[in-house]
């Protein structure tokens, strides 16, 4: 992927493409083995680059992590942007379903977001902004639904958006502790039906 | 506290009382400074014991932590046991209010419960059992409400209990990242009103 574009678009395009290939490898390794279990050597090996080459692009595991979480959000964004109104809530259920298929990455996200609540944590600001964005998008979707008459009576878009995001996060803790105890996607769907007039 | 009982009830009672005094000190220190910020020396100093005495009772910070979280649950239990039906939901709002007053401990719980989702983590089993217990108590409360006709139509006690616990956990992440962004107790209360017929 990186090699084929290097010549044509110059070193920057090559670097960007290489970074993306590395992040996709890290995404896979962390998804399978978790953050602690996945090593930088595994990530390099999977795409056949030297460990030192990897270090040139990402100097630490936590750098890689921030990149991976951004890539994960990017994967989710297109679907969310296309879907309007209640379609966005349906997409959220799909995001939860995807999280169930990538337990390592879900665990990673759960642990990192919790650790980053500590004010001095290097990812604190990144997560703070991420939540402003995520809650904001969800709120915008609910407001759009309200305009279309798709929101159930008494649902406040601002506070409901915080609760929907909170529910996604909280269900993960229970699911990660005991995967047989809970079907996260079914739980989300059942909950969102209480918010939405159209079928979710 | 420890000293006064040692003579009368023998060394074990003294040890139990001493452990409790230490845990109460750790509770305060972790609540104020968080798990990382609070040191074992601070905990010993606050109750005027030597660092080595502390180490005799709790050999590591994580031992202390498990003890503190059990103490926190003990603080919550009496109120929850006394309150019946919808009273238990009201008590949950009080627990959230208490969490808002002890941000250091809430942060501690949030981080530790997330880290413990990793199967190899030393507190994994403890947290798994804690969630079985917490969700179970909440479910029992909702079932009691259902028998009294206090539960809104269509609310399934088992799945609702998982969601209520998830919501408490998830709201903490947003609150810890930005305390002005969210009023956790008000959010819980508004949510529980959708579940309960009596006023929460």
């Amino acid at each position: 992927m990186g090699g084929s574009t290097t010549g044509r678009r110059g070193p920057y395009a090559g670097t960007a493409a290489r970074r993306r290939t590395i992040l996709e490898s890290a995404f896979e390794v962390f998804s399978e083995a978790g953050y602690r279990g996945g090593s930088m050597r595994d990530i390099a090996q999977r795409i056949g680059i030297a460990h030192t080459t990897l270090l040139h692009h990402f100097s630490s595991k936590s750098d890689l992590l921030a990149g991976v979480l951004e890539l994960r959000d990017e994967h989710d964004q297109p679907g969310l942007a296309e879907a309007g109104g209640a379609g966005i809530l349906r997409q959220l259920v799909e995001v939860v379903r995807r999280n169930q298929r990538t337990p390592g990455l879900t665990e990673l996200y759960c642990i990192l977001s919790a650790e980053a609540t500590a004010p001095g944590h290097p990812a604190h600001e990144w997560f703070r902004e991420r939540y402003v964005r995520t809650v904001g998008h969800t709120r915008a979707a609910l407001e759009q639904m309200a305009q279309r008459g798709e929101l159930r009576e008494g649902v406040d878009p601002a506070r409901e958006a915080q609760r929907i995001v909170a529910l996604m996060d909280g269900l993960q803790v229970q699911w990660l502790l005991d995967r047989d105890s809970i079907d996260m996607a079914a739980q989300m769907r059942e909950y969102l039906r209480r918010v939405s007039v159209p079928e979710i």
Side-chain angles (χ1 to χ4, degrees), chain A residues 6 8 11-12 20 30 35 39-40 47 56 64 73-74 100 110 123 132 135-136 148 173 181-183 188 191 199:
Chain A
T6 310
R8 272 189 308 164
Y12 178 73
R20 185 154 184 117
F30 288 150
Y35 181 58
S39 76
M40 291 190 73
I47 46 172
H56 170 72
L64 264 171
D73 283 345
E74 259 178 56
Q100 287 189 159
C110 176
V132 169
V135 171
R148 295 182 184 178
V173 176
S181 70
I182 198 163
D183 180 340
M188 273 309 283
Y191 178 70
E199 184 65 12

Side-chain angles (χ1 to χ4, degrees), chain A residues 127-186:
Chain A
F127 271 98
R128 215 188 53 74
E129 282 168 18
R130 186 185 183 279
Y131 274 90
V132 169
R133 218 165 48 235
T134 308
V135 171
H137 287 162
T138 309
R139 177 186 178 158
L142 296 174
E143 282 167 350
Q144 193 182 20
M145 287 177 69
Q147 281 163 5
R148 295 182 184 178
E150 291 179 352
L151 209 58
R152 286 199 193 273
E153 218 186 291
V155 175
D156 176 86
R159 291 198 299 278
E160 190 56 58
Q162 292 182 321
R163 275 199 295 264
I164 289 171
V165 172
L167 193 65
M168 287 176 81
D169 286 344
L171 290 172
Q172 282 178 12
V173 176
Q174 292 177 51
W175 179 72
L176 288 168
L177 280 168
D178 182 0
R179 295 191 196 159
D180 296 328
S181 70
I182 198 163
D183 180 340
M184 291 197 290

Side-chain angles (χ1 to χ4, degrees), chain A residues 18-95:
Chain A
R18 172 59 62 88
R19 280 176 64 91
R20 185 154 184 117
T21 310
I22 292 170
L23 287 179
E24 278 164 1
S25 170
F27 185 100
E28 288 171 22
V29 168
F30 288 150
S31 298
E32 290 162 21
Y35 181 58
R36 275 175 235 231
S39 76
M40 291 190 73
R41 287 191 187 280
D42 290 340
I43 293 164
Q45 212 161 35
R46 186 175 287 234
I47 46 172
I49 63 170
H51 190 211
T52 48
T53 308
L54 173 57
L55 289 174
H56 170 72
H57 293 279
F58 295 93
S59 60
S60 69
K61 220 169 150 181
S62 62
D63 269 8
L64 264 171
L65 184 56
V68 164
L69 292 176
E70 271 171 29
L71 191 67
R72 183 184 186 239
D73 283 345
E74 259 178 56
H75 281 185
D76 295 340
Q77 291 316 323
L80 290 174
E82 280 165 30
I88 291 181
L89 301 192
R90 275 179 221 119
Q91 280 294 323
L92 286 182
V93 177
E94 286 312 307
V95 168

